[in-house]
Amino acid sequence: MTLPEYVQTGPLLLAVPLAALAGLVSFLSPCVLPLVPGFLAYVTGLSGGDLEKQRRGRMFLGALLFVLGFSVVFVLISFTAGAVGDLLVEYQRGLQRVLGAVVLFGGLLLLFTPLWAQREVKVRWRPRAGLLGAPVLGFLFGIGWTPCIGPIFAAISAMAFTTGNGTRATGLGLVYCLGLGIPFILVALAYGRGMRVLGVLRRHRVALDRFGALLLIAIGVLLVTQQFQPLVSWVQFHLVSNFQPVI
């Protein structure tokens, strides 16, 4: 079994799973996880009682439109980062160190910032509640992302920059959006069970937050020390090139 060439080439081999994990960490962040029921109620236009009745079709559509809304923002930012990396390829090594330092600082900030201080950015204007407003609310969510999502997505943007390619960077942004958006959709499809799972996750929010911070610190260190690409090469040589299918 051979991975697609665009995944094997360059830093994407390591960046793709990191982007998916970063999206999931963003969903589990203390600025997003507690707000999931409210988001679902708003984008579907359903009251708490209707949500409890699990009107799955409407909830799925509302969650999907919400996810598409913020995906537009994050994918555009990723594409721009990759395109800029292509234009500044001769300065890429130095800029990679700078971006790595920013990501490292963001990770340290998250690690030592109390959870109560991590508040979401307030958007004063909100679209009309319901399906029509769902993609608009998602778009606003992407523009005014919360402080604990910002540093995480900054790491994805830094990795997108290192690809030096707008198309690859776009793919990286899409993977991040899948990691962030699929949990929203899964909760919408199984609201009752999803709320119980979210309750368990909220009880471990400190550990989850610290894991996200350590992930950022690791990415930042790899970028600053210029070890991101060597690590990709090692993974490609030792794991991918010698990988054999079980059947």
Side-chain angles (χ1 to χ4, degrees):
M1 180 178 178
T2 304
L3 294 175
E5 183 178 356
Y6 69 89
V7 173
Q8 295 187 48
T9 306
L12 281 189
L13 181 65
L14 183 61
V16 166
L18 283 177
L21 181 59
L24 179 60
V25 169
S26 296
F27 176 82
L28 298 174
S29 67
C31 301
V32 175
L33 188 64
L35 303 179
V36 172
F39 277 128
L40 290 177
Y42 198 89
V43 301
T44 57
L46 299 174
S47 65
D50 289 327
L51 287 172
E52 290 294 338
K53 295 176 183 176
Q54 298 190 35
R55 294 171 58 175
R56 295 182 181 178
R58 186 179 181 87
M59 291 180 67
F60 169 75
L61 184 56
L64 179 62
L65 292 173
F66 176 74
V67 170
L68 289 176
F70 68 66
S71 295
V72 170
V73 177
F74 293 137
V75 168
L76 283 176
I77 294 174
S78 296
F79 170 79
T80 302
V84 171
D86 188 27
L87 292 174
L88 302 177
V89 63
E90 58 181 312
Y91 308 106
Q92 196 174 77
R93 292 180 65 86
L95 290 174
Q96 182 176 326
R97 291 182 184 274
V98 173
L99 292 173
V102 172
V103 172
L104 180 58
F105 175 76
L108 292 172
L109 194 63
L110 281 183
L111 187 62
F112 296 106
T113 301
L115 293 181
W116 58 264
Q118 298 180 22
R119 300 180 182 272
E120 70 272 13
V121 175
K122 299 292 185 181
V123 179
R124 296 184 180 276
W125 180 83
R126 294 182 181 179
R128 182 178 179 180
L131 296 180
L132 291 179
V136 181
L137 184 65
F139 187 83
L140 293 175
F141 172 81
I143 292 177
W145 65 71
T146 60
C148 49
I149 284 184
I152 296 174
F153 188 68
I156 303 306
S157 299
M159 290 191 295
F161 176 84
T162 63
T163 67
N165 184 290
T167 302
R168 292 178 181 175
T170 299
L172 206 58
L174 283 172
V175 173
Y176 172 81
C177 292
L178 288 174
L180 174 59
I182 287 178
F184 275 104
I185 296 174
L186 291 178
V187 173
L189 287 174
Y191 183 77
R193 183 177 299 176
M195 287 300 100
R196 290 192 292 272
V197 173
L198 293 183
V200 174
L201 293 174
R202 280 197 293 268
R203 290 195 291 271
H204 296 86
R205 62 187 182 276
V206 174
L208 293 171
D209 193 54
R210 297 298 177 258
F211 174 76
L214 293 174
L215 175 65
L216 286 186
I217 292 172
I219 294 175
V221 169
L222 287 174
L223 293 174
V224 169
T225 59
Q226 302 281 292
Q227 294 302 307
F228 193 76
Q229 183 59 47
L231 181 59
V232 172
S233 300
W234 184 90
V235 172
Q236 183 175 358
F237 178 78
H238 291 279
L239 300 181
V240 178
S241 60
N242 297 323
F243 178 75
Q244 298 293 330
V246 177
I247 298 178

